[in-house]
Amino acid sequence: MTLLAEHQIDAAALVRDRSAWKFVLATDLDGTFLGGTPEMRKSLYDWIEARREAVGLIFVTGRDPGFIAELCGSGGAPWPDYVVGDVGTTIAGVDRGAGGLAPIAALESHIRDAWQDRGDWIRSVLKDAPGLSEQQTPFRHRVSYHWDPVAYDPASVAELEAAGLDILISHGCYLDVLPGGVSKGPSLLRLLEQLSIPKDRVLVAGDTLNDLSMFLTGLHGAVVGESEAGLLEATRSLPLARHCDLPGTGGIAEAIRAFGLHPTPPAEVFA
C-alpha cells in the first residue's frame, strides 16, 4: 500500500460515522503507539479494536505512508482512520479499497504552497553541509537528514531559514527541512477542524521534540514515559500535557484514565 498521489479525496469520505466517536487518539508511532511492553501494546490495541465505532485513531508521525501501510497490513498495529504523516507534511485518509493512503486535497494545498517544490534547491544548498547526510526515503514536501551534532554547523541552514523554511531537529539524530509553519500540531488541528471533531475529545501522544507542536495545540496530551529530555522540559508548564510514568502505550492508557476521556478506559498494565 502506497500514497495514492493522484487519488485526492474529501476529508470525510473514508470514515465511519464520527458522531459516534466518544474519543479520538492522535498519536506518534515510534516510542509512543509502538512503545511500551508487548502486554501494554496488546492491551491498548485490543481496547481500541473493541470500540472502533466509538474511538477514532489518527497517526501523527514522521513516518512515511509506505511504512504505515506495511506496519498495519502486517498486523503490527490497528489501522488508523487518518494519517498526519511525514512530520505534518502529509494529511491523508486510509483507503484500503484503492490500495493506499489518499491525500486530502483541501488540507494539503497550503502545504504545497509553502513548500513551492524546493526539494532540489534544498539539497543543493546542503550538499556539502557538515554533519548532514540525506535520508533515502522519498518525501513529497520535506527533505530529511541524519544529523551529527558534533560536526553540524547551524550556519549551513541559514539560507533555508531566510527563505521561510523551518528546521526541526529531533531524536538527537535527525534534521528535517519543512515548509514554513507546517508541522504535526498545525496539520492535526486543520484535520480536526475539517472533520468537526470537538477538541475536548482528543488526546495527543508523543515522546520527542518533533511531537512538541502537538502539545502546543492545547489538546489533552500524553508525554509518555521515557520521553526525550527536551520534550519533557518544553512541556513542563503546559497544563494539559501529562508527564506519564509508563512508556509508550502504557503512558497513553494512563493519560486516558487520568483525563477521564472515555467512560470505560483501558486497564492499567505494568508488565
Side-chain angles (χ1 to χ4, degrees):
M1 184 179 281
T2 58
L3 185 69
L4 302 173
E6 303 304 323
H7 188 67
Q8 301 279 327
I9 62 165
D10 177 81
L14 301 177
V15 77
R16 304 176 306 277
D17 179 12
R18 295 183 309 282
S19 66
W21 285 4
K22 300 182 185 301
F23 167 68
V24 176
L25 173 61
T27 179
D28 172 56
L29 289 177
D30 296 280
T32 308
F33 198 63
L34 301 181
T37 65
E39 293 80 7
M40 291 174 183
R41 293 194 296 274
K42 183 178 188 307
S43 175
L44 184 65
Y45 296 174
D46 288 351
W47 180 84
I48 291 170
E49 292 287 44
R51 294 164 177 80
R52 285 316 296 259
E53 296 306 315
V55 172
L57 181 61
I58 302 172
F59 288 169
V60 190
T61 175
R63 291 289 194 170
D64 62 280
F67 174 88
I68 294 167
E70 183 176 351
L71 170 71
C72 298
S74 67
W79 282 98
D81 297 295
Y82 292 95
V83 171
V84 176
D86 296 323
V87 200
T89 62
T90 289
I91 308 176
V94 175
D95 189 346
R96 297 196 211 180
L101 305 183
I104 301 171
L107 297 183
E108 286 200 344
S109 60
H110 79 290
I111 297 172
R112 293 192 300 273
D113 291 345
W115 186 239
Q116 299 176 24
D117 199 21
R118 289 181 283 183
D120 289 342
W121 173 69
I122 292 165
R123 292 182 184 92
S124 68
V125 171
L126 298 181
K127 180 180 179 181
D128 298 316
L132 296 179
S133 59
E134 187 178 351
Q135 296 179 30
Q136 295 307 304
T137 302
F139 302 112
R140 296 183 302 148
H141 306 124
R142 68 187 259 214
V143 180
S144 297
Y145 294 85
H146 299 285
W147 176 68
D148 178 353
V150 176
Y152 174 67
D153 179 2
S156 301
V157 299
E159 185 176 358
L160 306 182
E161 292 177 314
L165 295 162
D166 287 345
I167 307 301
L168 176 64
I169 295 172
S170 63
H171 289 271
C173 60
Y174 299 126
L175 183 146
D176 294 302
V177 183
L178 304 172
V182 176
S183 59
K184 289 183 175 184
S187 291
L188 174 62
L189 285 180
R190 290 175 66 88
L191 176 60
L192 295 176
E193 181 179 2
Q194 184 81 2
L195 298 174
S196 299
I197 295 173
K199 294 180 181 179
D200 60 0
R201 296 185 189 177
V202 180
L203 176 73
V204 299
D207 71 316
T208 73
L209 276 173
N210 77 10
D211 300 314
L212 177 59
S213 64
M214 289 200 290
F215 297 104
L216 294 176
T217 60
L219 298 166
H220 291 94
V223 183
V224 299
E226 302 178 3
S227 285
E228 185 178 355
L231 181 65
L232 291 170
E233 182 59 32
T235 56
R236 201 170 301 282
S237 63
L238 299 179
L240 292 182
R242 177 182 176 85
H243 286 193
C244 300
D245 295 321
L246 297 175
T249 43
I252 293 172
E254 177 186 330
I256 296 171
R257 293 191 299 270
F259 288 124
L261 290 171
H262 195 279
T264 56
E268 194 168 11
V269 178
F270 291 101

